[in-house]
């Protein structure tokens, strides 16, 4: 029986198949595959989403940390550009699955971890997201608190920081509660506002530094050999990759609404690396100018804004709120909300998942993570990069190598379907995950193998790809030759021929 329809490379369930799944405990309105009408995101929507998420305080200060570790300006920019190009690859590979089959990340994970085992990668992603939510909520809180205190005596109000935190936390949760469409609108609003603000800041710096670029731009690297540079370069590169490694996993949550593969690929490929690189350059140039203008390097945009008149500070505060909310909601609330929802789809909605994430984030310690850059790039980013790299590898191997982009969509929502594996767990993915984590960890404790840990995300990804591909080569969950054609109704005969050729 035909259970799915493929049209222009996008697969949807037939009305009959969808009706049969409505009573399944693995199905609800948020986790179900998107319909043809819901594939509405254009390339511009993906571009504004990424621009809005990239233009934030952590992105602005990323280059500063590398320069403080000894890099010159172009070494820091190059590291950031390369890291974003590298992480863009798994983002696009996983986006393809979300776009083609219209499935969110937790359902995508069922395919390679099993109906119950999917909780392992989704909760791993959720915990990291909750940590990021706490970090960005804390950054936004301290920024708003500092700016208000510098312009209107806010520091004299009892409990002023707690008031700001409560307001900012509620604002993030309220927007996230409304779902991905609200995030789409937020990105459309935020991108031009924050982008134009960054350009204005750059122009201000240029007009106040005559006859040069400031000492930071002209300062040479502190490394005297390639070996010294590489000791800092590789963990910094891993940190840049890990910055968006979370989105590389749950990007299907957004890509499932793309109009086509072309729209999501072009929108993301242009916006992510270019925005991060240009914004980092602006931060370096502006900070270099502050040495000339104020006599000290002001890497923190909040500290810089505090030097301006009250009206400018007020506008800057609004812009920082918009920027912080955009990345916090888009990057840090969707995945954990979906993970919570996937635990009990019949009772937990996306909105309830957002609230759970917000409450969990309060229990974490973002103030310690952000207390110094060493904790941030070598601790937080390094550790979760080591965890998420193997998960990315398993996802890529399963969809592109093992299954060759063919699956039975209906069975992802059936408790006893082919993706249930053994009691809901795919032991092969668990083995690949453990091996992909353990080998880099060995490098952490072995001085001669330290490069394994410094590049934990990359090594973990490729190790997991190799192990998982080998273990799954004859798995019973794979579609047999001709089976995809037997369950799929093709609206374009050419699509059927192309699908058959890949099996």
């Amino acid at each position: 029986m035909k259970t799915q329809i493929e049209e222009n490379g996008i697969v949807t369930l037939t009305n009959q198949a969808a009706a049969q799944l409505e009573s399944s405990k693995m199905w609800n309105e948020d986790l179900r595959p998107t319909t043809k009408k819901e594939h509405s995101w254009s390339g511009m929507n993906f571009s504004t989403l990424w621009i809005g998420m990239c233009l934030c305080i952590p992105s602005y200060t990323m280059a500063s940390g590398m320069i403080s570790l000894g890099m010159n300006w172009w070494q820091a920019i190059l590291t950031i550009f390369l890291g974003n190009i590298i992480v863009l690859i798994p983002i696009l590979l996983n986006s393809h699955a979300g776009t083609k089959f219209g499935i969110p990340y937790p359902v995508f994970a069922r395919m390679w971890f099993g109906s119950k085992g999917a909780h392992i990668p989704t909760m791993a992603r959720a915990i990291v997201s909750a940590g990021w939510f706490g970090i960005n909520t804390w950054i936004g809180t301290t920024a708003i608190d500092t700016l208000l205190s510098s312009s209107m005596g806010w520091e004299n109000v009892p409990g002023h920081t707690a008031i700001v935190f409560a307001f900012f936390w509620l604002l993030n949760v309220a927007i996230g509660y409304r779902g991905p469409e609200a995030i789409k609108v937020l990105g459309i609003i935020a991108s031009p506002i924050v982008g134009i603000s960054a350009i204005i800041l750059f122009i201000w710096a240029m007009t106040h530094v005559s006859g040069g670029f400031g000492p930071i731009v002209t300062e040479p690297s502190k490394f005297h050999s390639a070996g010294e540079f590489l000791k800092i370069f590789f963990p910094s590169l891993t940190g840049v990759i890990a910055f968006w490694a979370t989105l590389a996993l749950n990007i299907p949550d957004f890509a499932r609404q793309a109009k086509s593969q072309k729209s999501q690929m072009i929108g993301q490929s242009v916006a992510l690396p270019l925005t991060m690189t240009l914004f980092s350059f602006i931060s370096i140039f502006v900070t270099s100018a502050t040495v000339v203008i104020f006599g000290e390097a002001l890497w923190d945009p909040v500290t810089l804004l505090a030097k301006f008149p009250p009206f400018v500070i007020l506008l800057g505060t609004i812009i920082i709120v918009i920027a912080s909310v955009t990345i916090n909601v888009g990057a840090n609330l969707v995945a954990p909300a979906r993970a919570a929802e996937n635990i009990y789809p019949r009772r937990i909605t996306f909105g309830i998942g957002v609230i759970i994430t917000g409450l969990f984030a309060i229990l974490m310690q973002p103030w310690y993570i952000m207390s110094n850059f060493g904790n941030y790039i070598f601790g937080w980013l390094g550790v979760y990069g080591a965890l998420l790299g193997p998960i990315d590898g398993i996802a890529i191997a399963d969809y592109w190598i093992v299954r060759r982009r063919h699956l039975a969509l209906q069975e992802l929502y059936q408790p006893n379907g082919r993706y249930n594996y053994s009691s809901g767990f795919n032991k092969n993915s668990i083995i690949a995950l453990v091996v992909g984590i353990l080998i880099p960890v060995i490098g952490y404790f072995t001085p001669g193998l330290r490069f394994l840990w410094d590049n934990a995300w990359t090594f973990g990804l490729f190790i997991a790809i190799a192990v998982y591909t080998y273990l799954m080569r004859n798995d019973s969950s794979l579609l047999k030759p001709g089976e995809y054609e037997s369950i799929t109704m093709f609206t374009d005969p050419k699509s059927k021929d192309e699908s058959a050729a890949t099996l």
Side-chain angles (χ1 to χ4, degrees):
M1 183 184 75
K2 305 289 186 180
T3 59
Q4 55 195 42
I5 304 169
E6 180 172 331
E7 180 178 359
N8 297 323
I10 291 178
V11 177
T12 56
L13 287 174
T14 63
N15 292 335
Q16 184 179 358
Q20 292 174 350
L21 292 171
E22 288 182 356
S23 61
S24 172
K25 65 180 182 180
M26 299 173 66
W27 173 283
N28 70 16
E29 278 299 299
D30 295 315
L31 296 177
R32 63 167 176 77
T34 47
T35 62
K36 181 180 178 180
K37 183 179 179 180
E38 290 169 331
H39 281 273
S40 60
W41 282 39
S42 66
M44 183 59 68
N45 292 133
F46 283 98
S47 293
T48 56
L49 174 71
W50 276 110
I51 292 171
M53 291 193 297
C54 290
L55 300 180
C56 61
I57 294 177
S59 298
Y60 189 94
T61 59
M62 179 177 286
S64 70
M66 296 178 193
I67 290 176
S68 71
L69 293 172
M71 292 187 184
N72 61 27
W73 75 270
W74 67 261
Q75 289 171 337
I77 291 294
L78 179 63
T79 302
I80 291 170
F81 178 75
L82 288 176
N84 281 282
I85 289 294
I86 291 171
V87 79
L88 179 64
I89 297 172
I91 286 174
L92 294 179
L93 291 176
N94 289 333
S95 291
H96 192 284
T99 299
K100 181 172 182 177
F101 292 98
I103 50 177
Y105 173 58
V107 178
F108 182 41
R110 292 173 188 172
M111 190 166 66
W112 21 282
F113 260 87
S115 56
K116 295 179 181 177
H119 297 312
I120 297 173
T122 55
M123 292 309 297
R125 171 67 175 95
I127 291 172
V128 170
S129 285
W132 266 120
F133 182 81
I135 287 173
N136 279 285
T137 302
W138 180 254
I139 290 173
T141 296
T142 55
I144 298 167
D145 195 50
T146 299
L147 292 173
L148 291 177
S149 297
S150 64
S151 61
M152 52 185 294
W154 177 250
E155 72 277 8
N156 298 320
V157 178
H160 56 92
T161 304
I163 294 172
V164 173
F165 182 86
F167 162 77
F168 194 59
W169 183 91
L170 285 170
L171 179 63
N172 280 269
V173 171
I175 295 175
Y177 189 88
R178 298 181 64 85
E181 280 302 306
I183 298 171
K184 173 183 173 182
V185 174
L186 180 63
I188 293 173
I189 296 172
S191 296
I193 293 176
V194 182
I196 292 172
S197 301
I199 294 172
I200 291 173
L201 187 62
F202 180 72
I203 293 173
W204 169 84
M206 287 186 64
T207 57
H208 283 74
V209 181
S210 58
F213 300 100
I216 295 177
V217 176
T218 58
E219 188 174 353
S221 170
K222 294 182 175 62
F223 304 119
H224 301 291
S225 67
E228 290 182 4
F229 170 71
L230 293 177
K231 286 181 181 179
I232 299 299
F233 170 75
F234 283 117
S236 296
L237 183 68
T238 296
V240 176
I241 295 170
F243 194 85
W244 294 120
T246 51
L247 261 294
L249 274 175
N250 79 292
I251 193 63
D253 288 330
F254 300 100
R256 65 194 292 241
Q257 296 168 309
K259 287 183 177 180
S260 65
Q261 297 291 359
K262 182 179 179 180
S263 65
Q264 61 88 4
M265 288 181 64
I266 294 177
Q268 297 189 96
S269 298
V270 172
L272 171 57
L274 291 183
T275 303
M276 286 292 289
T277 304
L278 289 174
F279 195 50
S280 296
F281 174 75
I282 289 174
S283 75
I284 292 172
F285 185 88
V286 171
T287 303
S288 185
T290 62
V291 178
V292 177
I293 300 167
F294 300 111
E296 59 178 326
L298 301 177
W299 283 106
D300 187 348
V302 175
T303 305
L304 174 58
L305 277 173
K307 299 284 187 179
F308 288 87
F311 178 71
V312 177
I313 292 176
L314 177 60
L315 290 178
T317 303
I318 295 172
I319 293 168
I320 284 178
V321 168
I322 293 173
S324 299
V325 170
T326 301
I327 186 175
N328 221 16
V329 175
N332 304 320
L333 274 182
V334 175
R338 292 275 188 240
E341 190 177 13
N342 191 49
I343 295 174
Y344 201 167
R346 307 303 292 182
R347 293 293 181 89
I348 300 178
T349 64
F350 179 81
I352 293 175
V354 167
I355 295 173
I356 292 173
T357 301
L359 293 174
F360 183 74
I362 294 176
L363 301 177
M364 303 184 77
Q365 301 182 57
W367 45 87
Y368 170 74
I369 296 171
M370 295 302 293
S371 61
N372 66 70
F373 193 76
N375 289 340
Y376 178 59
I377 198 165
F378 294 110
W380 174 250
L381 291 178
V383 169
Y384 88 66
L387 171 65
L388 298 186
I391 298 177
D392 266 322
I394 294 169
I396 293 168
D398 185 271
Y399 180 71
W400 285 94
I401 303 174
V402 175
R403 303 189 194 281
R404 301 182 183 181
R405 308 184 305 283
H406 290 85
L407 61 96
L409 183 57
Q410 185 184 40
E411 295 194 54
L412 284 171
Y413 298 89
Q414 294 174 335
N416 296 318
R418 71 177 67 230
Y419 307 111
N420 186 55
Y421 297 97
S422 176
S423 302
F425 293 88
N426 181 6
K427 67 180 186 302
N428 294 330
S429 59
I430 296 174
I431 293 171
L433 175 62
V434 172
V435 174
I437 293 174
L438 280 181
I439 292 179
V441 168
I442 291 173
Y444 181 82
F445 295 101
T446 308
L449 299 175
R450 180 72 187 193
F451 67 94
L452 290 173
W453 178 255
D454 289 343
N455 301 277
W457 182 89
T458 305
F459 277 105
L461 181 139
F462 283 107
I463 290 168
I465 287 177
V467 173
Y468 185 81
T469 301
Y470 175 78
L471 294 175
M472 289 291 291
R473 63 194 185 281
N474 296 314
D475 194 81
S476 60
S477 69
L478 304 183
L479 293 175
K480 297 178 177 61
E483 191 173 358
Y484 183 78
E485 288 74 24
S486 69
I487 62 173
T488 307
M489 182 186 306
F490 295 89
T491 60
D492 181 2
K494 184 185 294 186
S495 298
K496 183 176 181 179
D497 295 337
E498 291 174 353
S499 295
T502 60
L503 289 174

